[in-house]
Amino acid sequence: MTAPSDPYRSSQAHPPRRGPDPMGPAAAIEGAVGSGGPVDRAQQEAARRHLWLHFTRMSAYNEADVPVIERGEGQYVYDQRGKRYLDGLSGLFVSQIGHGRKEVAEAGARQAAELAYFPLWSYAHPRAVELAERLAVLAPGDLNRVFFTTSGSEAVESAWKLAKQYFKTTGQPGRYKVLSREIAYHGTSMGALAITGLPSIKEPFEPLTPGGVRIPNTNFYRAPGFIADDLAAFGLWAADEIERTILMEGPDSVAAVYLEPVQNSGGCFPPPPGYFARVREICDRYGVLLVSDEVICAFGRLGHYFGAQRYGYQPDIITFAKGVTSGYAPLGGMLASDRLMEPFSEGSATFLHGVTFAGHPVSSAVALANLDVFEKEDLLGNVRANEATFRATLEKLYDLPIVGDVRGDGYFYGIEMVKDKTTRETFSDEESERLLRGFLSQALFDAGLICRADDRGDPVIQLAPPLTCGPEQFTEMEQILRTVLTEAWSQL
Ligand SMILES: Cc1ncc(COP(=O)(O)O)c(C=O)c1O
């Protein structure tokens, strides 16, 4: 079966394999191979004829089979032939509690039977109230107000709209611009896309919403030469670039800075020490809102409910989605400080924004059940107890010539591949295409590991396993990666 092409790349996908799946280079790894039953031809035909996959070169499946994942259990998923895969990406940074949790599914079913739907336009329903209160307790500082959405893009978009209307309402109508980092991904709707820092996925949709401005990211492995040896100095430089950009754009025109606690796109860039403290100072100095985009980093990915708590900074808004339900139903939202709500709490003032399914009762019930699992099983504790072992296990891969950098925090890692470890020379576009799409994505999938081989920045493999994982799964990941990366190097 052909591996899925990467859901975020604009020019992804690898040459499809024809015919039955020849077990890949790591097929000998225990647990990688399932029953290998027959492929459902009618389903394949229907998928090819009618289903439009996201961010996917559909031509890759003109003849090759579409990968169909049929069920999940714990940290593993199974395709329609019964072959097992370790879900090293939690689906898409979503399945924090793992797959197949009956109690969470049942919470959704119970809610659907009681009240399947009612909007949050003028009305409330009990599960949205309970969830909002629970999130407000878990969130850092004065983030007390929850505005629900159905997705991360909507959350990002909502925070921008809130920032704009807030400033218009409070006598600063010129503030509309948003600063965000190079290569950072913040979603695909037109507003969120203007905040996203990936030129290749923006270009077909120009002109975008005006106001998106880029600032440097915190990729220390590729830090500019003059601070390449000093992590703390690099962090302060990257933060000061935000100030420089605010001054260049005109402070009165800047509404917000969007930052992920650990930037995903580009392959996991954690914040250098002192970075967020300096950013907070700068935002306060110029009256700019700090939006922590935690669509990936919240709900345990970094061993805390929110990434801002791990790095000790106080955002004005947190955007979230994905892990809030562990994917048992779709939900997103933003947590805003009381201060931002204040202008909308008197007279006829209204935040003029909403979506039909935001805070859906079933999704809210599922989110509450998901958080119950977090508490009962102390998943944050599990991440904190095991993260050093996860790091150490992945760092064993440094003995391979292709592994240049292993970076991340919590259960969130990127492994950057290089042509030359000493010079950090990266691959040409052609080599990258051959390596990632022509070989790695397929080989890792064949070997039973779902992760992402990505080249939105330099070529990286991204890992974000369910928070229930432990040393056994870390070793499984390391062994599959070792086998496949060794083979990749020999093919270069
Ligand atoms: C940091 C970040 N923001 C926003 C989004 C968009 O979320 P969604 O795909 O739910 O719209 C994503 C998606 O991965 C993300 O990683």
Side-chain angles (χ1 to χ4, degrees):
M1 189 164 287
T2 305
S5 44
D6 184 84
Y8 285 68
R9 284 201 305 256
S10 55
S11 56
Q12 73 296 61
H14 36 268
R17 283 233 172 102
R18 310 263 188 270
D21 176 12
M23 283 306 172
I29 292 167
E30 207 184 341
V33 185
S35 70
V39 169
D40 181 337
R41 300 287 13 139
Q43 186 190 58
Q44 280 295 324
E45 201 40 48
R48 278 204 204 96
R49 178 72 191 86
H50 300 295
L51 188 61
W52 199 334
L53 302 178
H54 294 207
F55 277 112
T56 299
R57 278 184 201 171
M58 289 303 287
S59 65
Y61 302 121
N62 282 347
E63 290 167 50
D65 288 336
V66 177
V68 178
I69 301 297
E70 203 166 71
R71 69 187 179 87
E73 206 180 301
Q75 303 98 351
Y76 295 88
V77 291
Y78 297 80
D79 71 15
Q80 58 170 173
R81 301 173 314 148
K83 182 176 167 185
R84 189 179 89 160
Y85 303 84
L86 174 56
D87 186 1
L89 205 63
S90 300
L92 201 51
F93 311 97
V94 167
S95 309
Q96 316 294 70
I97 62 172
H99 302 274
R101 301 276 197 163
K102 291 226 166 15
E103 70 270 41
V104 181
E106 282 162 8
R110 271 197 308 277
Q111 182 58 45
E114 184 178 298
L115 176 71
Y117 174 71
F118 223 73
L120 293 181
W121 302 41
S122 306
Y123 306 93
H125 57 77
R127 299 299 94 74
V129 177
E130 290 160 26
L131 182 60
E133 185 181 31
R134 194 152 168 188
L135 293 175
V137 170
L138 297 177
D142 61 351
L143 299 183
N144 283 326
R145 187 63 66 163
V146 186
F147 185 93
F148 286 115
T149 65
T150 62
S151 72
S153 297
E154 280 176 4
V156 164
E157 191 103 13
S158 300
W160 194 2
K161 289 181 80 172
L162 174 60
K164 281 171 131 176
Q165 200 184 341
Y166 169 82
F167 284 122
K168 281 211 162 66
T169 313
T170 53
Q172 302 182 73
R175 287 191 189 263
Y176 71 97
K177 293 179 189 164
V178 168
L179 275 47
S180 59
R181 297 186 288 202
E182 285 159 0
I183 324 179
Y185 181 89
H186 292 284
T188 48
S189 55
M190 292 302 266
L193 196 57
I195 301 174
T196 285
L198 290 156
S200 63
I201 65 166
K202 294 155 74 104
E203 187 275 330
F205 310 105
E206 299 279 0
L208 299 172
T209 312
V213 180
R214 290 299 79 73
I215 47 176
N217 59 44
T218 59
N219 182 0
F220 186 54
Y221 190 65
R222 302 281 174 201
F226 65 97
I227 31 172
D229 296 326
D230 186 338
L231 179 62
F234 169 67
L236 295 181
W237 168 81
D240 287 343
E241 281 297 294
I242 296 177
E243 179 168 37
R244 203 179 60 77
T245 308
I246 291 172
L247 289 171
M248 204 167 67
E249 294 293 326
D252 292 348
S253 72
V254 180
V257 178
Y258 274 64
L259 305 170
E260 291 166 88
V262 173
Q263 179 175 323
N264 170 49
S265 188
C268 274
F269 307 142
Y275 176 78
F276 273 112
R278 179 67 68 92
V279 171
R280 183 69 265 180
E281 273 169 38
I282 293 166
C283 287
D284 289 343
R285 193 171 308 142
Y286 299 101
V288 170
L289 300 177
L290 173 53
V291 180
S292 193
D293 183 356
E294 307 213 6
V295 168
I296 288 179
C297 290
F299 303 106
R301 180 63 43 213
L302 300 170
H304 295 258
Y305 278 110
F306 294 96
Q309 290 159 330
R310 176 168 187 136
Y311 302 115
Y313 64 94
Q314 180 60 47
D316 299 297
I317 301 177
I318 287 179
T319 51
F320 65 87
K322 297 185 186 263
V324 66
T325 60
S326 286
Y328 286 76
L331 185 70
M334 65 168 162
L335 274 148
S337 63
D338 281 342
R339 181 171 67 90
L340 296 181
M341 169 73 189
E342 208 262 331
F344 302 100
S345 56
E346 297 281 324
S348 62
T350 308
F351 178 36
L352 293 168
H353 182 54
V355 281
T356 300
F357 285 143
H360 191 284
V362 171
S363 303
S364 301
V366 158
L368 289 163
N370 179 49
L371 292 174
D372 288 344
V373 174
F374 269 72
E375 275 176 26
K376 261 192 298 200
E377 299 183 12
D378 187 19
L379 292 184
L380 304 184
N382 190 54
V383 172
R384 290 193 220 170
N386 283 304
E387 65 173 315
T389 309
F390 189 30
R391 178 188 288 275
T393 308
L394 294 178
E395 283 182 345
K396 287 183 190 166
L397 296 168
Y398 270 130
D399 65 1
L400 301 179
I402 198 170
V403 171
D405 198 24
V406 176
R407 55 186 179 242
D409 268 329
Y411 275 18
F412 190 27
Y413 272 85
I415 299 172
E416 180 164 338
M417 292 164 288
V418 289
K419 209 152 104 174
D420 185 324
K421 252 174 155 53
T422 321
T423 61
R424 302 187 180 183
E425 183 186 353
T426 193
F427 297 97
S428 66
D429 286 351
E430 186 275 322
E431 287 165 333
S432 198
E433 168 86 16
R434 199 152 41 88
L435 176 71
L436 265 69
R437 286 162 214 151
F439 177 74
L440 269 180
S441 303
Q442 183 71 50
L444 289 164
F445 189 67
D446 286 348
L449 177 61
I450 293 184
C451 58
R452 178 197 279 165
D454 186 25
D455 65 351
R456 289 174 293 178
D458 296 303
V460 289
I461 290 173
Q462 292 171 307
L463 294 164
L467 311 184
T468 52
C469 283
E472 191 189 326
Q473 285 79 32
F474 305 155
T475 301
E476 191 177 342
M477 283 184 244
E478 193 270 336
Q479 285 181 4
I480 293 176
L481 287 166
R482 175 172 295 283
T483 308
V484 173
L485 289 174
T486 303
E487 175 70 17
W489 185 251
S490 75
Q491 292 200 4
L492 276 168

